[in-house]
């Protein structure tokens, strides 16, 4: 299946060509090339998926296929970085997700970014990002994943900072990169530890289940934890950075400074799920060797989901609501992985998590693109400038509603199935965790419908010109994604993706399904009462819970902590003293050598009086001393 | 005439030719021709070297030549190369080529500038091809002295102070070095200044205890070893563009190369005993340089401290004393050399236009100078260690190699050094954000012109080299790795 | 050590007597050389030193090597040489006087042009 190499090479070529040519060609040419390339990639991805899922099934298990591999860097005799393409159920699924969402974003941007300066640059960076993300998911070894991980980070930096004359965008792109860089440090150290004890980077070997691979690490511990726990925990920290888990989530809301299609692609559907993908990829290692880390992941995920959901309830900027919603949903996926077992029904968490990844990518992209549509119409992100837009933008309205229903978990939309399976797995692991997740699901429904009503219902805001529906290029992706959202729920996911490769038919637990639907419906009703029409209830609640409301709208002050750490601690109290020390202590010492030399030279100069008698005196003295030495010693 | 000696001969011919040049275009023509010839010769050398190795020649050094120079001390003019030397020669040729083009319009006295520039080149090439200690030292001095004039006459800012400080500190280092070399000669029992002969013998351990620090520190001063690095910020800041490129790109690597070739190779026992002291110092260099760079306001100072950090990593990896880390060290020398040359070239070009290096006074330059802006971003990403560019391969090799040492001391230091990737990101993105993005700060900057054709040649060559090294590192890392085996064998003794 | 002085009472002049005289002359000359301000006085001191050395030569010749004549000849030689040297020295002193208008050794401690010329500028 070597043609899969084209899936990676085409976007890379597109980036190079569009990047070098930049503004020398007309913008439409760049847009067309970019979109055409992505369309080809998408078709190839679908074809690969079709071929894989129909042919790779041997005796009930999907085989891992290495479509391509070449050695790139050699470190030691055991450790070397290969670049290759690994095809297995999750990577093929991700190929489909990435290429689909990217294609939709490419088409959407033809209209949305029309007339923007830097249009060609935008498409070049989109291609770079797609290349990097595709490379990440098909990585055959952990270091290749790290390589593409970094590339994805840079693409994100370039795209968030696309409007580079805006200081907020520049600051946001820097923040995103540095926070994820910090997480990547953890990832790197985790890789170093893991690879030292297992003598390999290769995923195939790491997840093969052979005891001998991890034999080198048995019994070795550091500060009370086994080295494998350290390794997997550090690797998770890397994933937590990209997937915006608390407290490394701070970059994601600010990343909304980038163009909205970028937010749809990178910060909803693809890059942010990289952490989930990483844990899924290494799941056998987590499950068999460091289950306590896996459970830790579940709790971190649960906390993040709750934290983000609470904040989302009080945000007023559309994109920020969606950003926190993304953080919350990704945390759901992490919880799904964290509570999962291995194989058959026990592996439900794993399957559910990845199914939710798939469905969430589709409806979140839909939500973002719909938000883009709205922003395009009213020229503002703030909910206060919107209201009653359903009359003017029917397509956007209906597709947004479908996505909201999906994310709230209302059957028969896809979100119901995927979220429900996660809840089932959570309840089986720990009922309290399950109840918490259900509560969070309720919050999700609440804030999403608060957003929905705030945009499409309620009092209209006076606009400069009447808002209008979006052009065709923007409508098409919305419609396509809406269709997927409606029907994707019925995909028998267990027949494709499971953690041990064996097929499994997922059954719904009707009790839990019933509970979750009830919770969702109640939340939607609550939101309807409070937000559909003008109502005093939100203000009254705001007043009575003033403290909580204020902290939540300030995102619980975590950004202030980040600012404090960077400005006060790193800049003022570490870097400045070091720079001062270098200039005024070390350099002063070197200058001091020079000064001492000059001083002693000035003193010695005094010996040269020019007076012949002084010289004669010195000669006499010297002669006497030498004579004395010769005679007496 | 030995093939390697041509590398020293060509710059000499350039210098003679320059005496007859009358106007700027003749001077530029001679300089450009010389550097192109050197580049072509380097390509031929690399090809011949890889060919010879592939054909099975397992000698430690290839293309050797040897003439007696001063018999009483057994000083020979002895040359030879191995993979590491070839890598360094490649680096030098690229940087000389790009440096010539970056100095296309140097003022005043272009003829004299290129005369000293080529004298410096003679010193550098000679150092890399010599395998006789004394000849090495002689070329080292030849490479050192022209710096004083180049910075003092053609520099900017506090140039006399910077030139004096740089030259005196580096001479101080070479004074230590001379003592070390003489000690090695007299005490090794080999009666020869040839490195290969001395490597076969063991210098008495008591002597090694003071000779190793002397030689390591002597070379370390040039390689920006903490706390002898302070010549670097002022020196680089005041130096003209091409001189900074050559100095930070190549000369600082002389230090690393010397530490590796002389200190570690000839005195492995002391290296094992005393490495921990120097590991701490180099570890401090890496973090200290990075943190210092975060709050600087002068573009060149940021880059100078960044160089302290990256060159510290080179010495750090060499001291880890295993194959992988040392391969990484040499690759980092190559990668950082190219990267820092690119940075200094770009900074020089920006300074030539805005007449300020203060980042608080610049902003939004990406709109006004797109070519320079994009190149600066690429250079910044290379410095960060973006995969696909050279910095990543080198740094990862170093980290993986360093991590192979199992004791806690080495591991902790490795993690500390690895954490520099975060600080590097902070200062690089800070600079890029301040000067390239945002709004244009000064109305005069709106009228600046983008890069000229000679500047483009310079910048594009370096970018291509960085991308080539970053995307296809296997051939160079293999070439370097195979040449490290004798050194590692010595270290295992 | 002091029993040499016992010889003084017997009537024959011992060698040490002459040596003491030349010693006193020599150090007087040295003292004069080091402390006099006038160049002429320094020249006179130098003459004293030379004469003291001559006395030494003659005395050693007479008392230690009575059969030989080298010492006497060398003393005559030295006197002649010192005369020449004094002549040259006087010539220099006259030149100095012409430039500086004085012959103090204190005004001669700089390598650059004598102060009289620089005052003219």
């Amino acid at each position: 299946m070597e043609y899969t190499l084209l899936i990676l090479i085409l976007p890379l070529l597109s980036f190079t060509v569009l990047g070098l040519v930049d503004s020398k060609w007309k913008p439409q040419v760049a847009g067309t090339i970019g979109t055409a390339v992505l369309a080809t990639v998408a078709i190839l991805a679908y074809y690969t998926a079709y071929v894989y899922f129909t042919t790779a099934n041997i005796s009930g298990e999907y085989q891992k296929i290495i479509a391509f591999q070449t050695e790139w860097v050699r470190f030691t005799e055991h450790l070397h970085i290969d670049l290759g393409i690994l095809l297995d159920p999750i990577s093929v699924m991700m190929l489909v997700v990435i290429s689909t969402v990217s294609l939709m974003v490419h088409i959407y941007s033809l209209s949305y970014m029309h007339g923007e300066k830097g249009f060609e640059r935008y498409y070049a960076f989109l291609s770079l990002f797609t290349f990097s993300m595709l490379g990440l998911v098909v990585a055959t070894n952990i270091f290749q994943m790290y390589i593409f991980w970094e590339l994805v980070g840079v693409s994100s930096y370039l795209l968030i900072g696309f409007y580079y004359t805006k200081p907020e965008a520049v600051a946001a792109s820097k923040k995103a990169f540095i926070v994820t860089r910090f997480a990547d440090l953890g990832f790197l150290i985790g890789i170093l530890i893991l690879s030292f004890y297992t003598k390999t980077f290769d995923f195939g070997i790491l997840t093969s289940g052979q005891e001998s691979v991890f034999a080198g690490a048995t019994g070795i511990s550091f500060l009370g934890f086994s080295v494998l726990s350290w390794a997997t925990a550090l690797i998770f920290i890397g994933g937590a950075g990209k997937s915006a888990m608390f407290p490394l989530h701070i970059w994601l809301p600010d990343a909304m400074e980038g163009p909205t299609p970028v937010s749809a692609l990178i910060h909803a559907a693809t890059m942010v799920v990289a952490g989930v993908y990483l844990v899924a990829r290494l799941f056998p290692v987590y499950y068999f060797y460091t289950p306590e880390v896996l459970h830790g992941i579940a709790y971190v995920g649960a906390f993040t989901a709750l934290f983000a959901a609470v904040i989302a309830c009080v945000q007023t900027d559309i994109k920020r609501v969606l950003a926190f919603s993304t953080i919350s949903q990704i945390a759901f996926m992490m919880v799904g992985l964290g509570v999962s077992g291995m194989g058959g029904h026990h592996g439900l968490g794993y399957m559910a998590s990845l199914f939710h990844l798939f469905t969430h990518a589709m409806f979140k992209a839909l939500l973002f693109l719909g938000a883009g549509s709205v922003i395009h119409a009213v020229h503002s992100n703030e909910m206060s400038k919107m209201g009653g837009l359903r009359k003017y933008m029917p397509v956007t309205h209906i597709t947004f509603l479908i996505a909201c229903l999906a994310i709230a978990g209302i059957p028969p939309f896809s979100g119901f199935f995927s979220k429900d399976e996660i809840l089932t797995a959570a309840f089986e692991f720990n009922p309290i965790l399950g109840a918490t997740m259900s509560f969070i699901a309720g919050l999700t429904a609440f804030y999403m419908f608060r957003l929905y009503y705030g945009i499409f219902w309620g009092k209209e805001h006076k606009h400069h010109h009447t808002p209008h529906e979006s052009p065709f290029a923007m409508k098409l992706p919305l419609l396509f994604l809406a269709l997927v959202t409606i029907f994707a729920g019925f995909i028998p996911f267990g027949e494709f993706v499971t953690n041990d490769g064996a097929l499994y038919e997922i059954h719904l637990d009707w009790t839990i399904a019933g509970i979750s639907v009830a919770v969702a419906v109640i939340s939607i009703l609550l939101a309807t009462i409070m937000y559909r029409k003008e109502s005093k209830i939100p203000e009254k609640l705001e007043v009575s819970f003033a403290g909580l409301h204020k902290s939540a709208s300030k995102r619980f002050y975590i950004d202030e902590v980040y600012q404090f750490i960077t400005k006060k601690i790193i800049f003022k109290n570490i870097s400045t003293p070091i720079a001062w020390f270098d200039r005024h202590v070390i350099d002063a010492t070197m200058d001091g050598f020079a000064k001492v030399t000059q001083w002693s030279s000035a003193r010695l100069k005094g010996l040269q009086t020019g007076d012949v008698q002084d010289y004669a005196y010195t000669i006499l003295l010297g002669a006497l001393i030498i004579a004395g030495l010769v005679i007496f010693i | 005439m030995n093939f390697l000696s041509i590398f020293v001969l060509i710059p000499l011919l350039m210098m003679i030719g320059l005496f007859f040049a009358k106007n700027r275009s003749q001077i530029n023509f001679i300089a450009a021709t010389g550097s192109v010839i050197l580049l072509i010769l380097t390509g031929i050398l690399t090809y011949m070297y890889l060919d010879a190795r592939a054909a099975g020649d397992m000698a430690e050094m290839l293309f050797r030549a040897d003439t007696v120079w001063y018999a009483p001390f057994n000083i020979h003019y002895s040359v030879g190369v191995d993979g590491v030397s070839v890598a360094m020669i490649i680096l030098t040729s690229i940087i000389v080529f790009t440096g010539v083009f970056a100095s296309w319009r140097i003022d005043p006295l272009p003829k004299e500038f290129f005369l000293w520039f080529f004298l410096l080149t003679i010193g550098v090439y000679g150092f890399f091809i010599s395998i006789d200690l004394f000849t090495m030292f002689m070329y080292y001095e030849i490479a050192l002295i022209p710096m004083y004039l180049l910075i003092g006459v053609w520099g900017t800012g506090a140039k006399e102070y910077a030139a004096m400080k740089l030259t005196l500190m580096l001479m101080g280092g070479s004074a230590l070095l001379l003592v070390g070399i003489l000690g090695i000669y007299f005490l090794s029992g080999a009666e020869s200044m040839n490195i290969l002969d001395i490597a076969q013998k063991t210098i008495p351990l008591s002597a090694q205890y003071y000779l190793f620090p002397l030689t390591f520190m002597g070379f370390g001063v040039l390689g920006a070893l903490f706390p002898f690095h302070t010549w670097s910020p002022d020196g680089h800041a005041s130096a003209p563009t091409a001189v900074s490129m050559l100095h930070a790109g190549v000369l600082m690597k002389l230090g690393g190369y010397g530490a590796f070739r002389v200190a570690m190779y000839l005195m492995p026992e002391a290296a094992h005993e005393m490495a921990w002291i120097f590991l701490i110092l180099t570890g401090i260099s890496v973090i200290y340089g990075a943190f210092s760079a975060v709050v600087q306001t002068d573009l060149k100072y940021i880059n100078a401290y960044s160089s302290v950090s990256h060159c510290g990593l080179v010495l750090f990896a060499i001291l880890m004393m295993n194959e992988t880390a040392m391969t990484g060290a040499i690759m980092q020398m190559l990668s950082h050399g190219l990267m820092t040359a690119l940075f200094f070239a770009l900074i020089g070009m920006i300074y030539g236009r805005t007449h300020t290096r203060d980042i608080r006074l610049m902003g939004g330059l990406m709109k006004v100078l797109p070519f320079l802006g994009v190149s600066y971003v690429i250079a910044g990403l290379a410095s960060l260690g973006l995969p696909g560019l050279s910095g990543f391969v080198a740094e990862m090799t170093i980290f993986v190699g360093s991590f192979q040492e199992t004791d806690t001391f080495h591991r902790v230091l490795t993690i500390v050094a690895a954490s520099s990737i975060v600080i590097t990101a902070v200062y690089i993105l800070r600079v890029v954000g301040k000067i390239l993005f945002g709004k244009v700060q000064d109305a005069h900057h709106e009228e600046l012109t983008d890069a000229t054709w000679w500047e483009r040649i310079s910048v594009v060559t370096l970018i291509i080299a960085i991308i080539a090294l970053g995307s296809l590192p296997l051939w160079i890392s293999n070439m370097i790795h195979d040449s490290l085996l004798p050194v590692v064998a010595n270290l295992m003794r | 050590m002091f029993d040499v002085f016992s010889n003084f009472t017997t009537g024959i002049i011992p060698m040490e007597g002459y040596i003491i005289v030349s010693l006193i002359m020599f150090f007087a000359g040295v003292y004069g050389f080091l402390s006099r301000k006038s160049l002429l006085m320094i020249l006179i001191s130098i003459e004293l030193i030379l004469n003291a050395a001559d006395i030494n030569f003659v005395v050693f010749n007479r008392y230690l090597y009575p059969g030989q004549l080298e010492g006497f000849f060398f003393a005559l030689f030295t006197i002649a040489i010192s005369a020449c040297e004094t002549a040259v020295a006087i010539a220099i002193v006259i030149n100095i006087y012409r430039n500086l208008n004085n012959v103090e050794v204190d005004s001669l401690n700089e390598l650059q042009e004598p102060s009289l010329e620089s005052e003219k500028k």
Side-chain angles (χ1 to χ4, degrees), chain A residues 178 561-572, chain B residues 426:
Chain A
I178 292 174
V561 170
Y562 169 81
Q563 287 279 65
F564 179 76
I565 295 179
T566 42
K567 290 261 158 55
K568 288 269 161 23
I569 297 188
I570 295 187
F571 274 68
K572 232 172 77 156
Chain B
V426 173

Side-chain angles (χ1 to χ4, degrees), chain B residues 248-329:
Chain B
V250 183
L251 260 81
M252 283 173 87
K253 313 300 174 285
L254 285 179
Y257 181 85
F260 158 76
R261 193 60 98 202
V262 178
M264 306 286 297
Y265 192 27
L266 301 179
M267 292 177 279
E269 291 83 10
H272 276 293
E273 297 283 325
M274 307 184 82
W276 65 274
I277 308 172
F278 292 106
L279 268 175
I280 294 180
L281 285 178
T282 50
I284 294 178
S285 289
V286 174
I287 296 292
Y288 180 94
F291 270 113
S292 291
V294 171
V295 287
Q296 298 299 324
T297 52
D298 181 322
L299 273 177
K300 275 197 169 177
Y301 273 81
I302 295 176
N303 202 29
Y305 278 110
S306 170
S307 291
V308 168
S309 179
H310 289 289
C311 282
L313 201 56
V314 169
L315 290 173
F316 179 85
I318 290 179
L319 288 163
M320 285 290 173
M321 295 187 286
N322 62 55
E323 282 171 38
T324 317
M326 290 176 107
T327 314

Side-chain angles (χ1 to χ4, degrees), chain A residues 72-73 75-76 147 150 154 157 164-165 170 174 177 181 185 189 196 575 578 581-583 586-587 590-591, chain B residues 161 165 229-230 234 288 291-292 294 305 324 384 386-387 397 404 406 411 418 421 429 438-439 470-471 473:
Chain A
W72 190 59
V73 168
F75 293 136
T76 68
I147 291 174
E150 295 279 319
V154 167
Y157 167 77
Y164 62 78
T165 47
V170 175
K174 244 193 314 184
F177 193 83
R181 214 357 129 89
L185 175 64
I189 299 176
F196 179 78
S575 277
I578 289 184
F581 180 80
D582 197 67
R583 200 103 189 107
I586 300 187
D587 219 15
M590 297 302 158
D591 282 350
Chain B
Y161 168 72
K165 186 157 88 171
H229 63 282
T230 50
D234 286 309
Y288 180 94
F291 270 113
S292 291
V294 171
Y305 278 110
T324 317
L384 284 180
L386 182 71
T397 317
Q404 304 303 310
T406 46
R411 284 270 164 88
I421 63 174
L429 293 184
K439 303 254 184 306
S471 320

Side-chain angles (χ1 to χ4, degrees), chain A residues 609-613 616-617 620, chain C residues 30 33-34 36 42 105 108-109:
Chain A
T609 55
D611 224 343
V612 116
Q613 290 171 323
Y617 182 68
L620 184 68
Chain C
V30 169
F33 180 88
L34 291 177
R36 304 298 286 188
I42 290 178
V105 82
L108 288 170
N109 56 6

Side-chain angles (χ1 to χ4, degrees), chain A residues 219-553:
Chain A
I220 306 180
S221 70
F222 180 72
L223 296 181
F225 296 99
S226 83
V227 284
L228 280 181
S229 300
W230 279 103
T232 49
L234 284 167
I235 292 179
F236 171 66
I237 290 180
K242 275 282 188 294
S243 291
M245 295 288 109
F246 181 89
L248 297 167
H249 65 283
I250 44 182
W251 63 271
L252 190 52
D254 288 2
M256 298 296 117
E257 293 290 337
T260 311
V262 165
S263 306
L265 176 61
I266 300 186
H267 305 124
T270 44
M271 183 176 107
V272 290
V273 300
V276 178
Y277 186 76
L278 176 61
V279 177
R281 186 43 96 211
L282 281 174
F283 189 78
V285 178
Y286 278 100
Y287 181 72
F288 288 117
Y289 294 97
T290 59
E292 68 280 2
V293 176
L294 197 58
H295 299 152
I297 294 178
Y299 293 119
V300 170
F303 178 77
T304 310
L306 180 60
F307 178 83
V310 170
I311 296 182
C313 290
V314 298
Q315 293 298 312
T316 55
D317 178 322
I318 293 188
K319 289 178 74 172
R320 261 64 182 194
V321 176
L322 293 176
F324 281 101
S325 164
T326 307
I327 298 176
S328 192
Q329 295 303 305
I330 296 186
F332 259 88
M333 297 175 213
M334 284 294 190
V335 170
L337 281 176
V339 304
S340 180
M342 190 66 129
H345 180 70
H346 301 288
L348 182 64
Y350 181 93
M351 290 183 264
S353 172
L354 290 166
F355 192 26
H356 197 58
L357 198 162
F358 181 85
T359 58
H360 173 264
M362 301 299 164
F363 59 65
K364 207 27 120 13
L366 176 55
L367 282 168
F368 266 105
L369 294 181
S373 217
V374 169
I375 295 173
H376 190 76
V378 305
H379 303 294
S380 163
N381 285 16
E382 289 290 324
M383 277 165 68
S384 53
K385 301 263 188 311
M386 305 170 194
L389 287 176
R390 69 186 185 284
K391 302 182 204 124
Y392 305 103
M393 315 175 70
V395 174
T396 312
H397 173 224
I398 299 294
T399 51
F400 201 90
L401 179 59
I402 292 175
C404 282
L405 289 169
I407 199 174
I410 306 289
F413 298 106
S414 53
F416 162 69
F417 292 96
S418 54
K419 193 181 289 199
D420 204 69
E421 287 161 22
I422 295 184
L423 290 176
T424 315
F427 268 111
E428 285 183 13
F429 176 76
N430 180 340
I432 304 178
L433 187 63
T436 319
M437 299 314 287
S438 306
F439 172 67
I440 300 173
L443 275 181
T444 311
F446 175 74
Y447 65 68
M448 284 311 296
F449 272 89
R450 166 179 175 264
L451 181 64
Y452 166 73
Y453 286 123
I455 302 175
F456 295 106
W457 294 75
K459 205 159 94 136
E460 275 180 48
H461 178 81
K462 294 273 183 305
H463 300 283
H464 288 289
H465 54 86
T466 42
H468 55 87
E469 182 57 271
S470 316
F472 177 69
M474 284 164 71
K475 275 198 289 217
L476 180 65
L478 295 178
L479 290 167
F480 180 82
L481 289 171
L483 278 173
V484 174
T485 310
I486 298 174
F487 293 111
F490 298 104
I491 299 175
F493 207 70
E495 312 239 332
F496 298 107
V497 176
T498 52
N499 39 19
D500 53 0
L503 289 85
Y504 175 74
E505 208 184 314
I506 304 179
H507 299 284
L508 277 178
D509 184 328
W510 294 108
T511 336
I512 297 182
I515 298 177
S516 69
V517 173
V519 168
V521 167
I522 294 174
S523 310
I524 295 178
L525 277 175
L526 211 57
T528 317
I529 298 173
M530 286 168 71
Y531 296 105
R532 185 158 175 269
K533 296 203 198 5
E534 288 279 324
S535 157
K536 289 278 185 282
I537 306 181
E539 284 160 29
K540 281 199 243 162
L541 279 175
E542 203 179 303
V543 168
S544 33
F545 288 101
L548 184 60
H549 186 270
K550 183 147 185 285
S551 323
S553 55

